Amino acid sequence: MQKIVFITGATSGFGRACAEKFAANGYDLILNGRREERLEALQKEIESKFNIAVLLLPFDVRDEKAVFTYINNLPAEWQNIDVLINNAGLALGRGYFDEGDLEDWNTMIDTNVKGLMYVAKAVVPFMIQRKQGHIINMGSVAGKQVYEKGNAYCASKFAVDAISKGMRIDLLQHNIKVTAINPGAAETEFSIVRFKGDEISAKKIYEGLQPLTAEDIADVIWYCTTVPKHVCINDLTITCLQQADAVYFNRNK
Ligand code: NDP
Ligand code: 8X3
């Protein structure tokens, strides 16, 4: 039987690259994201390239009712989820705490924290039933170290760090692996979203750097799922060579 991976935020960046990587390795895919037309195009592309099946779940991870309705009603043949890549997320704005936009804060916390928890909570019963499964939560270097003007986004990723640790403890009895992946700067649509379409500010984040690519992170995630059954990679922080942590960079002049 083919294995199944469920990827949230598959319409772009890390999620999309993971979809390609897992499909190329024979997994059937459950793909989530809000932009349905992108999901449909990706489904077509992947199904034409690889001999695997794709199921689309186009919901907003912030929508508690939609998350549980879609996942609780998965067709029986899609319930045996082997790997959940809990990746959907975003940053909005980069400014001092006192300048913070409440709507941006709510969106980040609702998506990166509550959305991630809803999806895991909905998927976990299927894994418990089979006494196996692997949950991969997308953290960040921003969840390991706070940087200036990072406030609410950093808080959301520190929460992912705590949730990953908590899930690993609580799901231990059910034989479920939990891995937290914490990337540094990676050039995806992340910064364009963060700066609300301002491509010049987005580009500046990667100036003088050879940043990570989405494929770099997909490769690492894939590796985490290929270690022997008795091995669990708990937590990985990955940066490009020119980044030491959330703050220090060695940019080309
Ligand atoms: P992208 O902007 O390229 O992709 C983000 C994905 O998340 C999109 O597919 C988007 O889909 C989805 N998404 C956002 N909000 C929602 C929502 N409410 N419901 C469902 N899907 C949603 O960015 P990345 O690939 O870089 O980011 C993926 C994850 O990696 C995020 O959690 C981010 O915080 C984290 N990260 C990114 C880093 C980077 O430098 N790029 C570094 C460290 C962590 P759609 O808009 O169609 O819903
Ligand atoms: C994304 C990386 O450094 O922009 O989580 O916070 S950073």
Side-chain angles (χ1 to χ4, degrees):
M1 214 169 63
Q2 304 221 136
K3 288 192 169 180
I4 298 174
V5 61
F6 180 177
I7 305 169
T8 66
T11 58
S12 168
F14 300 157
R16 190 192 156 102
C18 285
E20 289 263 352
K21 185 78 191 176
F22 279 75
N25 284 283
Y27 271 70
D28 287 334
L29 313 177
I30 304 176
L31 302 181
N32 156 266
R34 291 165 301 176
R35 286 169 290 181
E36 221 169 324
E37 60 303 334
R38 281 208 191 191
L39 284 177
E40 282 162 6
L42 182 60
Q43 175 178 35
K44 256 196 198 148
E45 194 185 315
I46 284 183
E47 284 182 341
S48 71
K49 272 211 271 197
F50 308 106
N51 187 25
I52 56 114
V54 178
L55 178 74
L56 303 182
L57 296 190
F59 60 75
D60 185 325
V61 298
R62 290 173 296 175
D63 183 343
E64 178 187 333
K65 193 161 169 243
V67 170
F68 287 93
T69 305
Y70 269 103
I71 298 176
N72 290 345
N73 291 298
L74 275 173
E77 66 276 20
W78 286 97
Q79 291 180 2
N80 290 346
I81 296 164
D82 295 283
V83 180
L84 165 64
I85 305 178
N86 224 345
N87 160 76
L90 78 176
L92 285 174
R94 190 159 172 167
Y96 291 113
F97 179 82
D98 51 295
E99 300 164 347
D101 180 293
L102 290 185
E103 205 177 310
D104 287 349
W105 289 1
N106 286 332
T107 304
M108 285 188 276
I109 289 167
D110 288 350
T111 309
N112 301 355
V113 185
K114 290 164 70 180
L116 175 138
M117 292 172 77
Y118 295 159
V119 173
K121 174 93 167 81
V123 167
V124 142
F126 298 129
M127 294 184 169
I128 291 179
Q129 209 169 27
R130 297 169 66 217
K131 280 207 151 299
Q132 66 177 76
H134 193 166
I135 298 171
I136 297 182
N137 289 330
M138 191 55 69
S140 169
V141 290
K144 297 289 183 181
Q145 188 182 15
V146 178
Y147 53 81
E148 188 180 51
K149 301 179 178 176
N151 46 73
Y153 178 67
C154 292
S156 75
K157 291 299 185 180
F158 268 73
V160 172
D161 190 53
I163 290 158
S164 298
K165 288 172 179 154
M167 281 169 56
R168 196 173 306 112
I169 295 165
D170 293 344
L171 299 175
L172 190 60
Q173 61 182 323
H174 300 296
N175 228 22
I176 295 171
K177 296 186 186 187
V178 179
T179 300
I181 298 288
N182 306 294
E187 196 161 6
T188 60
E189 292 178 17
F190 176 83
S191 291
I192 297 171
V193 172
R194 182 171 215 170
F195 295 109
K196 303 177 181 175
D198 172 357
E199 300 211 7
I200 295 168
S201 301
K203 268 275 165 218
K204 275 211 175 97
I205 296 292
Y206 311 106
E207 229 164 56
L209 291 182
Q210 182 181 346
L212 297 169
T213 65
E215 289 70 28
D216 294 329
I217 294 304
D219 285 350
V220 169
I221 292 175
W222 170 251
Y223 172 71
C224 291
T225 65
T226 59
V227 295
K229 248 186 155 170
H230 68 287
V231 178
C232 178
I233 297 177
N234 291 353
D235 189 281
L236 281 180
T237 298
I238 308 110
T239 62
C240 68
L241 181 58
Q242 292 170 277
Q243 180 175 10
D245 59 14
V247 176
Y248 289 99
F249 292 86
N250 176 28
R251 293 182 193 268
N252 303 329
K253 301 283 184 277

